[in-house]
Amino acid sequence: QLQLVESGGGLVQAGGSLRLSCAVSGRAASTYHMGWFRQAPGKEREIVARISRSGTTTDYADSVKGRFTISRDNAKNTVYLQMNSLKPEDTAAYYCAAGLYYSGPTDYWGQGTQVTVSS
């Protein structure tokens, strides 16, 4: 069983930055492709970014390209999401996710961390 614990969320002004972390335990993080999703109130959960097992391949939602960067440190079993130039529309609960297939279903979810961007 894999456990994912997010941290780093909070309240930030528009234009600011935050770095989210996802600590992976139970199995080696390198076993899984990882991703970050978000869900705003009244909206469906959407993918923000994903990263392959080795970290060599990444993808981003159009809405965050050029502002967010996903990375991972498999030695530390941790995945990161660096968020720059934050906008009020980035306000959401952010979830870490793990899956055995890069474009397949998510096998594990974290509990989420709230990001609120004030205008």
Side-chain angles (χ1 to χ4, degrees):
Q1 193 76 359
L2 197 71
Q3 290 83 44
L4 308 176
V5 179
E6 303 95 336
S7 62
L11 174 64
V12 64
Q13 288 187 333
S17 298
L18 283 174
R19 188 176 82 155
L20 305 183
S21 298
C22 173
V24 180
S25 62
R27 291 180 183 174
S30 58
T31 304
Y32 297 90
H33 304 292
M34 302 294 296
W36 287 94
F37 288 72
R38 68 185 181 187
Q39 187 168 19
K43 294 187 177 181
E44 292 188 355
R45 191 172 295 190
E46 62 176 359
I47 189 165
V48 175
R50 58 184 174 183
I51 187 167
S52 61
R53 290 190 186 96
S54 63
T56 55
T57 301
T58 57
D59 289 292
Y60 297 90
D62 287 343
S63 58
V64 306
K65 280 182 182 176
R67 300 188 298 121
F68 290 11
T69 303
I70 189 170
S71 61
R72 65 190 300 162
D73 185 338
N74 285 337
K76 294 183 177 180
N77 280 332
T78 304
V79 180
Y80 304 97
L81 185 68
Q82 178 66 43
M83 305 186 295
N84 298 328
S85 302
L86 282 161
K87 303 176 181 180
E89 50 263 43
D90 295 318
T91 295
Y94 283 71
Y95 297 90
C96 181
L100 292 175
Y101 301 96
Y102 189 70
S103 299
T106 296
D107 296 302
Y108 298 97
W109 292 98
Q111 292 298 308
T113 185
Q114 179 67 33
V115 172
T116 302
V117 184
S118 64
S119 56

